[in-house]
Amino acid sequence: MKRGRTTNEANSSSSEDTTEKESKRHKIVERKSTVVQSPDWANLLQDIILQVFQYLPLLDRAHASQVCRSWNQVFHMPDLWRCFEFELNQPATSNLRTTHPELIKQIIKRHSNHLQYVSFKSHFISALTVVFVNSKSLSSLKIDDTPVDDPSLKVLVANNSDTLKLLKMSSCPHVSPAGILCVADQCHGLRELALNYHLLSDELLLALSSEKHVRLEHLRIDVVSENPGQTQFHTIQKSSWDAFIKHSPKVNLVMYFFLYEEEFDPFFRYEIPVTHLYFGRSVSKDVLGRVGMTCPRLVELVVCANGLRPLDEELICIAERCKYLSAVGLGECEVSCSAFVEFVKMCGGRLSQLSIMEEVLIPDQKYSLEQIHWEVSKHLGRVWFPDMMPTW
């Protein structure tokens, strides 16, 4: 009996040991299954890395390319460099400016053959010069707040005259009318051009109107004055505008005015083919009246501010003479409700965009603010409400 009992106890002990081992094994397996594996960044798809790199500034791209071989390969892919934005606005004493110029120029030089769409905003002019010297297929170039000059533009034209289709220049005081004229003379495929008014000349418009040049699709002109009375604005001859519009009859001529009231004298004295007109500062009734008389191609009009006198007659004149007007925005102005309803009635359903602050509309004997909503909606053929100023 003792021997049988001993055997049973041994079997029971062995069974318990086996169960305990199985339990430990299951716990180990469960513990391993819960461990989160770290991502293998080196084996990410190159398309994903490429999309990430496209959002990085130049120096961050260069640093990321040193992570591994795969990332370095993406850094040198032509697709990454076709669209290139460069912005560097550190002061001259910045460590970034004193440490990286040669690195920046080497990177740009190595990939300049692939550049097609370039946006450049920096006082680091030597980097832009590297682009001009080494690029061969630029299609779009936007330059903002950069000390580019006429000789630099000549280099640009020499290497990219057959491919350049868009040029936008803002705050480039070292460029002269002769410099931009060189671009128009050589880049016959140019379709979009944006520049400051001081670069606009009769010679430029005539160059853009030559038989060799394609029809321009978009011309934007910024007319800007920082100090009242200190900027002299020249006059463009009507014959130059006529030749330009004859050559490019469907061009969008966009003009942004940031002038003081006394500086508008040279403008709107005769017919001008402007299509989109924006007044960023206060503009007088007299100037708006001249707009109605001289801008028959006008499509869009935005007035940010005006004096305290209502613009009733001016709006009616614009509605009568500007038969293509389809978008209007009025900010700090005054218009009587009756005149506004008459304006909308004359323009009709072609007003696809009508943005008017409620404070602009002055109630009169014929219409209140509550009534004008229904009346304007009736003539537009859709529900319309004036814009409300936020209360916060």
Side-chain angles (χ1 to χ4, degrees), residues 88-99 101 123:
L88 181 62
N89 289 320
Q90 282 73 20
T93 56
S94 168
N95 289 331
L96 181 63
R97 188 174 180 84
T98 57
T99 304
H123 290 282

Side-chain angles (χ1 to χ4, degrees), residues 78-311:
D79 286 348
L80 179 62
W81 298 97
R82 288 198 175 95
C83 185
F84 175 63
E85 295 185 9
F86 182 80
E87 183 170 351
L88 181 62
N89 289 320
Q90 282 73 20
T93 56
S94 168
N95 289 331
L96 181 63
R97 188 174 180 84
T98 57
T99 304
H100 294 293
E102 289 305 319
L103 171 62
I104 292 172
K105 288 192 288 185
Q106 289 176 17
I107 294 173
I108 295 176
K109 183 176 181 180
R110 180 166 182 177
H111 301 93
S112 56
N113 276 338
H114 307 306
L115 297 177
Q116 293 182 5
Y117 310 95
V118 173
S119 178
F120 203 94
K121 183 177 182 179
S122 172
H123 290 282
F124 188 17
I125 183 61
S126 58
L128 184 59
T129 303
V130 172
V131 173
F132 288 176
V133 170
N134 295 279
S135 62
K136 304 297 180 185
S137 57
L138 280 182
S139 175
S140 170
L141 178 62
K142 302 177 183 179
I143 310 173
D144 184 18
D145 194 22
T146 302
V148 63
D149 54 15
D150 292 356
S152 300
L153 289 182
K154 289 183 179 179
V155 175
L156 167 71
V157 169
N159 292 331
N160 298 274
S161 60
D162 294 334
T163 59
L164 190 65
K165 293 181 173 60
L166 180 149
L167 176 62
K168 293 185 177 181
M169 303 181 63
S170 177
S171 301
C172 300
H174 300 289
V175 175
S176 72
I180 199 69
L181 179 60
C182 172
V183 176
D185 278 335
Q186 301 298 322
C187 300
H188 296 147
L190 196 66
R191 296 182 180 275
E192 295 188 41
L193 179 62
L195 42 80
N196 191 280
Y197 184 80
H198 83 272
L199 296 177
L200 187 67
S201 64
D202 294 292
E203 292 78 10
L204 176 61
L205 290 178
L206 294 176
L208 294 171
S209 307
S210 69
E211 294 182 359
K212 296 180 180 179
H213 207 288
V214 300
R215 289 184 175 88
L216 208 67
E217 297 174 358
H218 190 95
L219 174 60
R220 168 176 167 162
I221 303 169
D222 294 337
V223 192
V224 181
S225 172
E226 299 296 339
N227 301 306
Q230 295 187 12
T231 305
Q232 298 295 323
F233 294 97
H234 59 283
T235 301
I236 302 297
Q237 299 297 319
K238 183 178 184 299
S239 57
S240 302
W241 284 121
D242 291 343
F244 172 71
I245 205 65
K246 182 179 180 180
H247 180 264
S248 302
K250 296 183 179 180
V251 64
N252 287 318
L253 176 56
V254 183
M255 298 188 73
Y256 284 80
F257 282 89
F258 293 89
L259 301 182
Y260 297 91
E261 288 190 12
E262 61 271 18
E263 297 176 315
F264 276 98
D265 189 64
F267 301 98
F268 307 110
R269 290 299 180 183
Y270 52 81
E271 191 171 296
I272 181 173
V274 62
T275 56
H276 298 73
L277 196 52
Y278 304 90
F279 293 102
R281 293 191 184 129
S282 180
V283 58
S284 67
K285 282 172 61 70
D286 176 62
V287 171
L288 287 176
R290 291 180 354 222
V291 166
M293 300 298 293
T294 60
C295 304
R297 298 180 74 243
L298 193 63
V299 174
E300 181 177 12
L301 174 65
V302 176
V303 180
C304 292
N306 176 256
L308 299 177
R309 298 166 61 191
L311 301 177

